[in-house]
Amino acid sequence: MPPRGQSAVPPRGHRVRQTIEQLRARILGGEWPVGGRIPTEPQLVAALGVGRNTVREAVRALVHAGVLECRQGSGTYVVSTDELAPVVARRLGDDRMTEVIEVRRAFEVEAARLAALRRTPADLAALDGALADREAAWRGGRVDAFVEADAALHVAVVAAAHNAMLAELYASVGTALRSTVAQAMGSALTPERYVDHTRLVEAIRAGDPSRAAIEAGAFLEPAQGA
């Protein structure tokens, strides 16, 4: 028991955990976006009302988790909002692309099936826009732009499934997803590598879960991956 008139001081580990949660909340809330630099240590001490050592340990924990990155002479930057993503990225290297595609199938086939059952008018508009962007990126001929546009369409399908846990897990494989598409495309966009996703979007629009699942899985074979 603390002396009368004095409040109990939370143990150090508890303060560190609270500080980690406060930092994480600001990152997830968009106050410190991915690619941006977080405030300096003295600024965090003042803003959070905790000691330097507590801030240091909290920042170190998020660096270890792959959310933050310390850059010598520059500061500490947000590199991810998802603590699972760096773990997945390390596990699913280029030599395990077959496994990445199998994981994508597990997520994307079910996402397409659910999207056909749950899509809203707003979801369909997002899918149409993402599909149009993907087609435009293909016509533009830049592999990097197409990879991003293709990934955005798949993310839109997952969003239309309206399953928050599925969306979070899918986001964690985002880097690996792009890697499979980039590997499938090679150094140039050539006609034989093109995969049409129009039928996938139309199956979702039609509310046909079986056809949507078939379309989502059809192009996710190790030799394709887009």
Side-chain angles (χ1 to χ4, degrees):
M1 291 285 292
R4 182 172 297 179
Q6 294 184 14
S7 59
V9 177
R12 180 179 181 81
H14 180 69
R15 294 199 304 274
V16 171
R17 287 192 296 273
Q18 283 186 323
T19 303
I20 291 171
E21 289 306 314
Q22 287 179 286
L23 296 175
R24 186 183 288 120
R26 295 190 181 209
I27 292 168
L28 292 175
E31 183 176 341
W32 304 329
V34 173
R37 184 172 59 184
I38 70 171
T40 63
E41 187 177 282
Q43 290 172 327
L44 290 174
V45 167
L48 302 176
V50 294
R52 282 179 177 268
N53 287 340
T54 299
V55 166
R56 197 168 294 146
E57 288 185 37
V59 168
R60 188 181 300 124
L62 290 178
V63 168
H64 181 72
V67 174
L68 298 176
E69 178 181 81
C70 292
R71 300 175 186 173
Q72 189 67 31
S74 179
T76 302
Y77 290 78
V78 179
V79 293
S80 176
T81 60
D82 180 4
E83 293 178 38
L84 186 58
V87 177
V88 173
R90 287 193 295 269
R91 290 281 296 162
L92 298 176
D94 289 341
D95 58 337
R96 302 177 72 174
M97 280 299 110
T98 298
E99 292 184 17
V100 176
I101 293 172
E102 290 171 353
V103 170
R104 282 189 60 190
R105 281 182 63 93
F107 286 141
E108 293 181 17
V109 170
E110 180 62 10
R113 189 186 72 80
L114 291 175
L117 295 171
R118 301 174 178 175
R119 81 285 184 276
T120 67
D123 293 327
L124 292 175
L127 286 167
D128 287 339
L131 181 62
D133 289 344
R134 183 180 185 272
E135 295 302 304
W138 179 271
R139 291 193 298 272
R142 285 180 47 197
V143 173
D144 57 344
F146 177 76
V147 168
E148 289 302 316
D150 182 79
L153 175 59
H154 291 297
V155 169
V157 172
V158 174
H162 294 280
N163 182 310
M165 184 176 293
L166 175 61
E168 288 182 25
L169 290 170
Y170 190 72
S172 72
V173 300
T175 299
L177 182 158
R178 288 164 175 78
S179 294
T180 61
V181 179
Q183 187 179 77
M185 292 301 104
S187 60
L189 302 179
T190 55
E192 67 273 12
R193 293 192 174 101
Y194 177 76
V195 179
D196 187 6
H197 286 356
T198 303
R199 291 190 301 274
L200 169 61
V201 173
E202 288 308 313
I204 293 172
R205 188 191 315 279
D208 187 335
S210 297
R211 186 156 61 93
I214 290 170
E215 292 295 340
F219 51 82
L220 279 173
E221 299 296 337
Q224 298 179 40

